[in-house]
Amino acid sequence: MTATITAPAANTETATPTHTYDLGLLVLRLAVGLTIAAHGAQKLFGWFNGGGIDGTGAFFTMSGYPSGKAMAVVAGLSETLGGLALAVGLLTPLAAAALVGTLLNAIAVKWGGGFFAPKGIEYELLLTLAAASLALTGPGRYAVDRVIPALRNHRLVFGLAAIVLALVVAGAVLIVRN
């Protein structure tokens, strides 16, 4: 006589498939990543009515940053490459850190203008927190990181380390700002 052990039936009303979360993370990554990548393209190439390197560099100089053009290139590359990497889920914690660092500087520049648009920080704050959240949660299953063995299993420590890196670099850049 053999005994059969069966698992209890899952409660389908409360169980949420993991793929639902992964799809939600994909949508969030695409929204945040592509929005910031487009913003970086404004800085680098003048696309989407952006200032390009010259216009953005002049803005950075006016905002108290040394070497405005160099800062425009750094910010543009951080936003464009970081945004695209976040969108596809490649090196997600580092991509998110690039965005967090850049956006913290944007918040510092706009600080004092209130919370709401047109001079407020709500847009930048929302994108900063969304990027930080993705650094902490990981990209989900629908990401390039899933095919890289070392990154397949997201670790909270990677996300925390990336956010600390973003805070340190953003702070260093803000220190050199007048």
Side-chain angles (χ1 to χ4, degrees):
M1 206 176 230
T2 59
T4 305
I5 300 173
T6 59
N11 182 349
T12 57
E13 290 182 32
T14 59
T16 304
T18 304
H19 292 284
T20 302
Y21 295 115
D22 296 324
L23 185 59
L25 290 170
L26 172 64
V27 169
L28 182 59
R29 282 194 347 261
L30 289 171
V32 173
L34 294 178
T35 296
I36 296 298
H39 198 63
Q42 287 182 304
K43 288 176 176 65
L44 291 176
F45 311 116
W47 295 353
F48 314 114
N49 296 318
I53 298 294
D54 291 333
T56 305
F59 173 78
F60 273 101
T61 299
M62 181 187 72
S63 298
Y65 289 94
S67 305
K69 281 188 178 182
M71 295 301 286
V73 170
V74 169
L77 287 172
S78 295
E79 291 176 358
T80 303
L81 298 178
L84 292 174
L86 189 68
V88 299
L90 175 63
L91 302 173
T92 302
L94 288 177
L99 303 185
V100 168
T102 303
L103 287 162
L104 287 173
N105 274 268
I107 289 170
V109 168
K110 291 182 79 176
W111 193 258
F115 185 74
F116 294 106
K119 296 181 181 182
I121 60 165
E122 85 280 4
Y123 172 71
E124 292 83 2
L125 183 62
L126 178 64
L127 291 171
T128 303
L129 294 175
S133 296
L134 287 165
L136 295 173
T137 61
R141 289 184 193 184
Y142 309 127
V144 174
D145 284 353
R146 293 286 294 172
V147 299
I148 300 172
L151 300 174
R152 186 169 295 132
N153 296 319
H154 178 76
R155 302 282 188 257
L156 178 61
V157 71
F158 295 163
L160 289 171
I163 290 173
V164 168
L165 175 65
L167 293 173
V168 168
V169 172
V173 171
L174 287 170
I175 286 172
V176 301
R177 181 176 169 237
N178 295 328

